[in-house]
Amino acid sequence: MKNDKPQITSVQASAGSGKTYNLAKRYITLLLERSDSASPVSIKNVIAVTFANKAAVEMKYRVIEYLKKAALSLDTGDILKDLNLSEKEKSVCSAKILNDILENYDNFNISTIDSFINRILKACAINVGISPNFKIEKDISENLSFSVDSFLKKASKSSSYKNLLSEYIMQYLILEKSGWFPKNDIYNEVKNVFRKTGYTGKNIESVESGFEEGLVSRSVKIRNLTQTFADKYLKLDINGHFKNAVKKVLEEDDKIFHRLKVPKKFSSTELKYNANAARDIAADSLWEEIVSAVSELYEFYAQNYYGVYGKIFSNISVEFDRQAKNEEIVFLNEINRKTTDFFKSADSIMPEVYYRLSERYKHFLVDEFQDTSFVQWSVLKRFLEETLANGGTFFYVGDAKQSIYDFRGGSSEIFYKALQDFPQRESEVITLGENYRSHKTIVDFNNKIFSRENLERYLKEVYEDDNLEIYDNILNVYSSSGQNFNAKKTKGYVDIEVLDGDLSEDAPKLKFLEHVKSALERFLPQDISVLCRTNGEAFEAGAWLLEEGYNVESEQTLNLKNNSLVKQIISLMAFINSPLDALSFASFISGEVFQKAAGISSKECDKFLFEQNKNKKNEVFYKAFQDKYPELWNAYIEEFFLKAGFIPVYELTISVFEKLKIIESFPEDKIFALRFLELVKEFEKEDSGINNFLAYFNLLNANEEILYVKNSSANAIKVMTVHKAKGLQFPVVILPFLKLSEQKIDKPYFDNSGGDIKLLYVSQDTAKFSKKIKNIYDMEKAKLLLSEINVLYVSMTRAECELYAITTQKGRTKNTVAALLGSNVFKDGSKEIYKIKEVKYEKISDDVSGGYKAVSYNLPETDLQAVDCDDAKRYGAMMHFALSKITTLKNKDAKKEISAAADCAKRKFLFDGLKNIPENLESFFENDKIQEIFNFNEREVFNEKEIVTASGDTLRADKLIEKTDAVIVYDFKSSQITEENIRQVEKYKKHLGEIYGQKPVFGFLVEINSKKIVKV
């Protein structure tokens, strides 16, 4: 049967308009609408790709949540309203699909686009000459540095390499770059090219040698023509500025050409004369020839300046690829390029690709499509050609206004490319016009600021000297940016401050802190997010908050290297690794970790350090401490000192945690301590030894993801960059550094409009002398401005209830945001009390009480529940879980077992009554009958025991006692015992009787609250 629906659906979803909801709806609809047909759509035939891991997790959660509700005939809103199915059919089909997902979770294809492309590369690795078992690495620095060194070494032996390096050195000398670090220059430029080629999937176009000769010959030509002009026509009544320009060229040496310092008058094709002076046709003609020669020089410079870098890059990349292949590594930046290389090859037949993937996709869904790079689109396009040709569909959601990842190859243009590339396919465009995130005042404000009319006014005001046609794409992107507010969100507050540049430097800080203080009168710290354009700004805003004593969650505060506790552990490790390292030892004993554990005061430690500094004897530092405080040394340091080098770093770290009681003494830093343990564990997958670990830790860049605590339980103000906040929303948003600035064009400029990438030198200066370069410059300038406006749009559309922004205008500032705001600089709306949905945090398990093995087992788990029910049920659930952690108390220290169970419950649940759980458990076990339940031999007791029935169903008994002459089953209940509970235990007894044959089976129900025991 022919499908009468469009094959391509483009959903334009502005901020807060429910794009994830619509993706989930589309996914579920695809599965349900033909679930009862002869050829239903399987989950393995549908693939959804997102931009970020968090979005993939959220979409999976939503799909499963909606299917669960539909299967249980609960309210799913309008997500299933378009299906021509009865309620019963929806329920049955949803249950069937949900079961399919649970049984075949690997086929539940919702992942990031990077993960999807990685799967393709893994499946087709042999075809592109890499190992199928390749590992993905993020940082290319070490491998690239090695490859650069290898290239330089080969230059001493190979004539071709030597000639290439000589060409580079000559260019380096001609341009007289500051400093003499050509190796650093090569490394930095090549690293930049590696990054860009990865995002485009293209190779660098080769440029012929001869930059030096071409520069010299063109300079000579300009000088000769200018000299001729001066000899013949400088006596004419020519405008003085033009005369001075000619004289300057003749007086200066060749550096004026090599450094592109030719006077601006040489960009004017029309020679200017003084008033009433007669024009000289021959002078005009020669002037035009000079201007043409100057333009030719600038164009040659732009097209050839990076030629030698391109050739060096090509040679270094050969060594780089060889090394990566030997180590079975593929760098994250290369995945897109290598996958594209495969599809360019003759082996890339789609049936073969599907065969290798063991799947065939009939329906594609893409989230945040505007963040897709052109190289990623080229891969998706190959799949879509096959899919659409066979009746499949393509559904994508995004917003060109939120395209802010141009530095990763993303482009707002990509959003419109899908429809352009498949013009023959029936398509539809859906616009989501309602904002479900922000309250009315915020929606109205953003509608005014980002309207086409306001942007057009801004461009005319700020860029009046430019050809405004180059900014048409900006106006097109924002042509329909207006949104409707949701009827349930009619409030909101906006406060935009433009501070006078004459105010004190502290003015922005004071205004920012004033906003924070005001917001905290109505919101919790965790409801407030401070968004900044750069990491530096985020660091500064975080510092302001920390100075005032606020709890802050930011990259600054969540980085292990910035955490005081981790610094002290590293100091201890450094001392253990090198006992003569007096600085590390002094740092450790001066810290709170050691002083709190050892019970020594800070004053006492300072006194010891002062005395050692005065001591002129050449005495080993730690020996002096050992002699003066032998008890402290033996109790808290010697064990680590002796173990070093004989046990793994991970086990040594656990010993430090236990001995110094780090988790117990520093609960506020617990998550950092446990993240540090994860880091150590990750290190030991590849390496070993404390010396190697310290080197590994020190070499980690401050921005490496592994250094950051991913989930914080702190009720803290969040500080982050706008790019990190994309896709998120917050009750209150504060923008302390609101700005809209013109960004510089990258050097080199990557022209990937053709088959290969051309590396061009494009700047404002070169654009003045060449129309070709000016066209490129204008195009890139407009593109960068659009990206900046998009960043501003994203930052100002994250707020739900209140939005604050501060900008400072200082003299001739390049920050043009005030011009964009225009007359819309105001305070509007009202400050209200809102009912904010409580945030549920994930925490990392912290069971270090069991030592090395226990932590090794528990560490990877993230285990936290927030039970959303009344106190009695919470208490029952909490007690039920704690009891599941106690097998028996026979021949054991009861208090210790109960305490351990209570600790486990504390990590499992988020509940105010947890502080009383040890007392509650002790009270529970005061009952003699209860004690009998927990007085069997350890080997006879099984908690949470699974019972498999003859039909294959699984039951789970709370406690099963398997004695030689009988079997006893206990079921603990947190509420009053019901008939259903009794039938459940009878079911246990029946199936256990079938399993154990002649052994008698006894069943009991235990009411936790009343301690009542009922025999079944």
Side-chain angles (χ1 to χ4, degrees):
M1 183 177 70
K2 184 180 177 182
N3 190 350
D4 57 354
K5 293 184 178 180
Q7 284 191 278
I8 301 177
T9 302
S10 171
V11 180
Q12 299 184 13
S14 292
S17 59
K19 64 179 181 57
T20 306
Y21 173 85
N22 279 274
L23 273 169
K25 180 178 180 179
R26 171 69 172 183
Y27 189 95
I28 293 169
T29 301
L30 283 169
L31 296 174
L32 285 176
E33 66 183 353
R34 299 190 63 188
S35 58
D36 59 343
S37 68
S39 56
V41 175
S42 167
I43 58 170
K44 70 184 299 182
N45 300 137
V46 182
I47 181 166
V49 294
T50 67
F51 184 70
N53 283 314
K54 190 168 185 177
V57 171
E58 182 184 356
M59 188 176 170
K60 281 185 175 181
Y61 171 81
R62 291 223 189 170
V63 168
I64 292 174
E65 186 70 13
Y66 288 131
L67 286 172
K68 280 167 62 180
K69 286 182 176 180
L72 296 170
S73 300
L74 300 175
D75 182 25
T76 58
D78 65 352
I79 202 159
L80 304 180
K81 73 173 185 178
D82 297 333
L83 292 171
N84 189 25
L85 297 172
S86 67
E87 293 303 313
K88 184 177 180 180
E89 287 172 328
K90 290 176 184 177
S91 176
V92 171
C93 293
S94 295
K96 187 191 300 181
I97 293 167
L98 192 58
N99 191 59
D100 189 19
I101 290 174
L102 296 176
E103 288 184 356
N104 304 284
Y105 195 77
D106 285 348
N107 294 332
F108 192 26
N109 293 311
I110 299 177
S111 66
T112 64
I113 190 165
D114 287 332
S115 297
F116 171 62
I117 292 178
N118 181 34
R119 285 183 59 208
I120 299 168
L121 188 60
K122 283 243 181 217
C124 308
I126 294 175
N127 299 71
V128 290
I130 59 176
S131 167
N133 301 315
F134 67 81
K135 295 174 293 184
I136 296 177
E137 296 283 349
K138 289 184 179 179
D139 188 8
I140 68 170
S141 301
E142 187 176 341
N143 280 51
L144 185 58
S145 180
F146 178 87
S147 301
V148 171
D149 287 341
S150 178
F151 166 78
L152 295 175
K153 286 178 183 177
K154 287 181 179 178
S156 63
K157 300 176 182 178
S158 166
S159 58
S160 60
Y161 278 70
K162 184 177 181 179
N163 291 339
L164 184 56
L165 187 60
S166 296
E167 182 182 346
Y168 167 76
I169 295 296
M170 287 305 298
Q171 179 171 323
Y172 200 89
L173 292 172
I174 287 174
L175 301 175
E176 291 191 8
K177 294 199 172 187
S178 57
W180 177 246
F181 299 103
K183 178 183 173 182
N184 291 350
D185 188 57
I186 290 173
Y187 173 82
N188 291 328
E189 294 291 358
V190 169
K191 186 175 183 180
N192 187 29
V193 174
F194 259 101
R195 183 173 62 87
K196 286 291 184 77
T197 53
Y199 297 144
T200 61
K202 295 181 179 181
N203 297 317
I204 301 299
E205 183 179 276
S206 179
V207 177
E208 293 295 324
S209 299
F211 177 75
E212 178 192 355
E213 294 83 354
L215 202 59
V216 170
S217 65
R218 285 164 176 78
S219 301
V220 170
K221 179 180 179 181
I222 295 170
R223 189 179 293 282
N224 291 340
L225 288 171
T226 306
Q227 185 65 59
T228 302
F229 182 90
D231 294 342
K232 289 185 176 182
Y233 307 113
L234 211 56
K235 294 179 182 179
L236 296 176
D237 197 9
I238 296 171
N239 178 278
H241 294 297
F242 282 77
K243 284 186 176 182
N244 290 336
V246 170
K247 291 176 182 177
K248 184 176 178 64
V249 166
L250 296 177
E251 290 169 359
E252 296 278 347
D253 59 23
D254 285 347
K255 291 177 183 176
I256 197 171
F257 304 113
H258 299 163
R259 296 182 182 178
L260 302 184
K261 297 295 182 182
V262 177
K264 188 179 177 181
K265 293 302 178 185
F266 282 85
S267 65
S268 173
T269 55
E270 182 183 354
L271 182 64
K272 299 289 185 183
Y273 294 81
N274 291 323
N276 302 319
R279 302 194 68 86
D280 188 294
I281 297 176
D284 288 347
S285 177
L286 181 54
W287 180 257
E288 288 179 8
E289 189 177 352
I290 295 172
V291 169
S292 177
V294 171
S295 177
E296 184 185 338
L297 168 72
Y298 274 75
E299 286 178 13
F300 173 82
Y301 194 101
Q303 293 170 358
N304 292 270
Y305 175 82
Y306 287 105
V308 67
Y309 287 98
K311 286 180 278 189
I312 289 175
F313 167 79
S314 298
N315 283 278
I316 290 176
S317 64
V318 171
E319 176 60 35
F320 184 88
D321 289 342
R322 185 194 64 76
Q323 185 184 355
K325 185 176 181 180
N326 289 342
E327 296 178 7
E328 296 188 349
I329 291 173
V330 171
F331 290 93
L332 189 62
N333 186 59
E334 294 185 295
I335 290 176
N336 292 325
R337 181 173 61 83
K338 288 188 177 294
T339 308
T340 305
D341 288 345
F342 166 70
F343 280 116
K344 287 178 181 175
S345 70
D347 297 332
S348 60
I349 303 170
M350 287 310 298
E352 174 74 9
V353 175
Y354 277 125
Y355 171 76
R356 292 179 182 275
L357 289 171
S358 300
E359 291 175 346
R360 179 176 288 275
Y361 306 124
K362 297 179 181 177
H363 304 280
F364 276 80
L365 292 78
V366 180
D367 186 18
E368 301 284 14
F369 190 64
Q370 77 282 347
D371 293 325
T372 306
S373 68
F374 279 97
V375 64
Q376 290 170 333
W377 170 241
S378 70
V379 174
L380 283 173
K381 186 179 173 184
R382 288 297 300 270
F383 281 88
L384 290 170
E385 288 168 351
E386 174 92 1
T387 294
L388 297 175
N390 288 284
T393 64
F394 176 39
F395 181 95
Y396 65 95
V397 180
D399 181 11
K401 301 187 297 299
Q402 297 186 65
S403 175
I404 61 173
Y405 289 96
D406 52 311
F407 58 88
R408 283 190 45 171
S411 171
S412 60
E413 299 168 27
I414 200 75
F415 195 79
Y416 312 103
K417 191 155 180 61
L419 299 178
Q420 296 169 2
D421 285 357
F422 296 101
Q424 73 280 17
R425 301 294 174 189
E426 189 174 349
S427 62
E428 65 175 339
V429 177
I430 299 172
T431 301
L432 303 179
E434 186 170 345
N435 188 316
Y436 297 92
R437 172 186 299 157
S438 304
H439 276 266
K440 179 180 184 299
T441 303
I442 298 171
V443 173
D444 289 346
F445 171 74
N446 284 321
N447 282 347
K448 291 175 184 175
I449 298 301
F450 297 102
S451 67
R452 180 187 175 104
E453 293 74 23
N454 188 55
L455 285 168
E456 195 165 12
R457 176 199 60 76
Y458 161 78
L459 291 170
K460 287 178 180 178
E461 181 180 325
V462 177
Y463 298 99
E464 57 184 344
D465 295 333
D466 290 354
N467 174 14
L468 293 181
E469 290 182 4
I470 68 174
Y471 302 113
D472 282 351
N473 189 43
I474 295 176
L475 300 178
N476 292 335
V477 167
Y478 284 87
S479 60
S480 56
S481 61
Q483 292 181 283
N484 300 318
F485 65 91
N486 184 266
K488 295 179 181 179
K489 296 196 171 186
T490 58
K491 302 176 183 178
Y493 180 73
V494 174
D495 187 336
I496 308 298
E497 296 272 358
V498 180
L499 301 180
D500 193 323
D502 295 331
L503 295 174
S504 69
E505 290 187 1
D506 284 342
K509 173 184 175 181
L510 296 174
K511 179 59 67 175
F512 167 65
L513 294 173
E514 179 187 317
H515 288 329
V516 172
K517 184 178 179 181
S518 171
L520 286 171
E521 293 172 0
R522 298 172 302 285
F523 299 89
L524 293 173
Q526 67 190 30
D527 299 327
I528 301 172
S529 183
V530 179
L531 304 185
C532 303
R533 180 68 177 85
T534 65
N535 286 321
E537 291 175 353
F539 190 93
E540 186 173 4
W544 290 348
L545 292 168
L546 290 169
E547 285 173 12
E548 297 299 312
Y550 292 116
N551 285 335
V552 177
E553 181 181 305
S554 68
E555 289 200 353
Q556 174 189 358
T557 59
L558 297 182
N559 190 312
L560 290 182
K561 286 195 171 186
N562 294 331
N563 181 260
S564 174
L565 184 144
V566 172
K567 287 179 180 179
Q568 293 172 62
I569 297 170
I570 289 294
S571 292
L572 175 59
M573 286 183 162
F575 161 66
I576 292 169
N577 182 57
S578 178
L580 296 180
D581 185 350
L583 184 61
S584 292
F585 183 72
S587 176
F588 172 65
I589 65 172
S590 300
E592 201 177 358
V593 169
F594 175 72
Q595 292 175 4
K596 202 166 187 177
I600 186 172
S601 69
S602 175
K603 188 175 181 180
E604 178 72 14
C605 282
D606 291 344
K607 182 181 176 183
F608 167 77
L609 294 172
F610 180 72
E611 289 173 352
Q612 285 306 116
N613 284 334
K614 285 178 63 179
N615 190 351
K616 306 231 175 170
K617 296 178 184 178
N618 191 15
E619 188 176 10
V620 176
F621 196 83
Y622 82 88
K623 288 292 291 180
F625 182 88
Q626 186 180 14
D627 292 341
K628 185 164 184 176
Y629 304 101
E631 298 86 0
L632 296 183
W633 174 271
N634 294 334
Y636 298 104
I637 301 176
E638 186 174 39
E639 177 186 339
F640 315 135
F641 199 74
L642 297 175
K643 282 183 176 179
F646 295 98
I647 61 173
V649 182
Y650 187 76
E651 190 171 344
L652 177 67
T653 310
I654 292 297
S655 299
V656 170
F657 276 36
E658 288 181 318
K659 176 70 71 176
L660 302 178
K661 299 187 182 304
I662 284 177
I663 300 297
E664 298 91 327
S665 300
F666 302 93
E668 69 279 6
D669 286 319
K670 176 174 61 179
I671 197 151
F672 290 94
L674 295 164
R675 183 63 176 158
F676 183 74
L677 279 177
E678 285 187 328
L679 184 68
V680 176
K681 192 173 187 180
E682 191 68 26
F683 160 77
E684 289 199 328
K685 289 180 180 178
E686 302 287 339
D687 208 339
S688 63
I690 192 168
N691 185 62
N692 291 345
F693 173 74
L694 290 170
Y696 162 77
F697 185 81
N698 290 331
L699 286 172
L700 285 173
N701 292 325
N703 60 352
E704 297 228 22
E705 189 177 343
I706 196 170
L707 285 173
Y708 289 93
V709 174
K710 294 182 180 178
N711 298 295
S712 172
S713 60
N715 180 17
I717 298 170
K718 297 174 180 63
V719 181
M720 64 183 77
T721 64
V722 177
H723 288 86
K724 291 285 177 67
K726 188 164 179 291
L728 304 178
Q729 60 191 52
F730 313 94
V732 180
V733 168
I734 304 176
L735 309 170
F737 306 101
L738 188 68
K739 64 176 63 174
L740 180 58
S741 303
E742 189 175 312
Q743 299 298 306
K744 290 183 178 179
I745 294 176
D746 282 343
K747 293 186 180 67
Y749 170 75
F750 288 74
D751 179 8
N752 61 352
S753 57
D756 288 331
I757 297 172
K758 294 179 181 178
L759 301 180
L760 303 179
Y761 185 97
V762 176
S763 68
Q764 188 173 13
D765 289 334
T766 56
K768 293 173 185 174
F769 294 90
S770 165
K771 288 183 179 179
K772 288 182 182 178
I773 302 172
K774 189 174 190 319
N775 289 337
I776 294 173
Y777 178 82
D778 287 347
M779 180 181 66
E780 189 65 12
K781 179 181 176 182
K783 183 180 175 182
L784 290 173
L785 180 59
L786 173 59
S787 180
E788 286 300 297
I789 293 173
N790 287 350
V791 170
L792 193 66
Y793 176 82
V794 170
S795 66
M796 299 182 79
T797 53
R798 301 304 97 194
E800 300 171 31
C801 308
E802 296 186 4
L803 171 66
Y804 299 86
I806 304 165
T807 185
T808 304
Q809 300 299 306
K810 293 183 179 179
R812 295 176 60 83
T813 177
K814 292 184 178 179
N815 181 7
T816 61
V817 74
L820 178 65
L821 294 170
S823 60
N824 296 305
V825 180
F826 63 91
K827 297 179 183 179
D828 194 22
S830 58
K831 298 178 179 180
E832 305 279 348
I833 303 294
Y834 297 88
K835 187 176 180 181
I836 306 296
K837 188 176 180 182
E838 184 180 353
V839 177
K840 297 179 181 179
Y841 292 100
E842 291 182 348
K843 288 184 179 178
I844 301 176
S845 172
D846 62 339
D847 184 9
V848 298
S849 58
Y852 165 65
K853 291 186 178 177
V855 177
S856 176
Y857 178 76
N858 285 314
L859 189 61
E861 299 295 324
T862 53
D863 199 7
L864 173 68
Q865 282 190 0
V867 184
D868 188 17
C869 50
D870 59 60
D871 286 352
K873 288 184 178 179
R874 291 182 184 182
Y875 169 78
M878 175 185 69
M879 289 289 289
H880 192 285
F881 176 79
L883 292 173
S884 73
K885 298 300 177 184
I886 303 174
T887 52
T888 182
L889 297 178
K890 187 174 183 179
N891 301 324
K892 290 186 177 183
D893 184 333
K895 281 196 173 183
K896 187 175 179 181
E897 293 295 315
I898 291 170
S899 177
D903 287 342
C904 288
K906 286 178 183 178
R907 289 189 298 275
K908 183 79 173 175
F909 293 89
L910 202 66
F911 176 41
D912 292 338
L914 284 172
K915 59 185 177 183
N916 298 320
I917 188 170
E919 293 84 353
N920 294 336
L921 282 171
E922 287 177 9
S923 173
F924 181 76
F925 281 103
E926 287 174 359
N927 186 295
D928 293 340
K929 294 293 185 183
I930 297 294
Q931 289 181 21
E932 290 178 9
I933 300 173
F934 291 83
N935 198 35
F936 294 97
N937 294 323
E938 182 96 45
R939 64 177 181 275
E940 298 174 337
V941 183
F942 301 92
N943 284 1
E944 302 294 320
K945 180 67 176 175
E946 284 191 350
I947 305 167
V948 182
T949 68
S951 62
D953 294 330
T954 302
L955 308 174
R956 186 183 294 273
D958 289 343
K959 199 173 198 71
L960 183 69
I961 315 297
E962 187 182 329
K963 297 177 66 64
T964 55
D965 57 348
V967 176
I968 310 169
V969 61
Y970 291 95
D971 216 29
F972 296 90
K973 295 300 171 187
S974 56
S975 56
Q976 285 190 339
I977 294 171
T978 64
E979 288 296 323
E980 185 180 347
N981 298 149
I982 293 171
R983 286 195 295 272
Q984 182 70 20
V985 175
E986 287 175 342
K987 194 173 183 180
Y988 291 157
K989 287 177 62 179
K990 174 179 178 295
H991 291 295
L992 287 169
E994 294 172 356
I995 294 170
Y996 288 99
Q998 301 301 316
K999 277 189 186 182
V1001 180
F1002 302 96
F1004 297 89
L1005 281 161
V1006 182
E1007 271 188 13
I1008 294 174
N1009 294 339
S1010 66
K1011 305 169 193 172
K1012 176 182 175 183
I1013 303 174
V1014 176
K1015 185 176 181 180
V1016 178

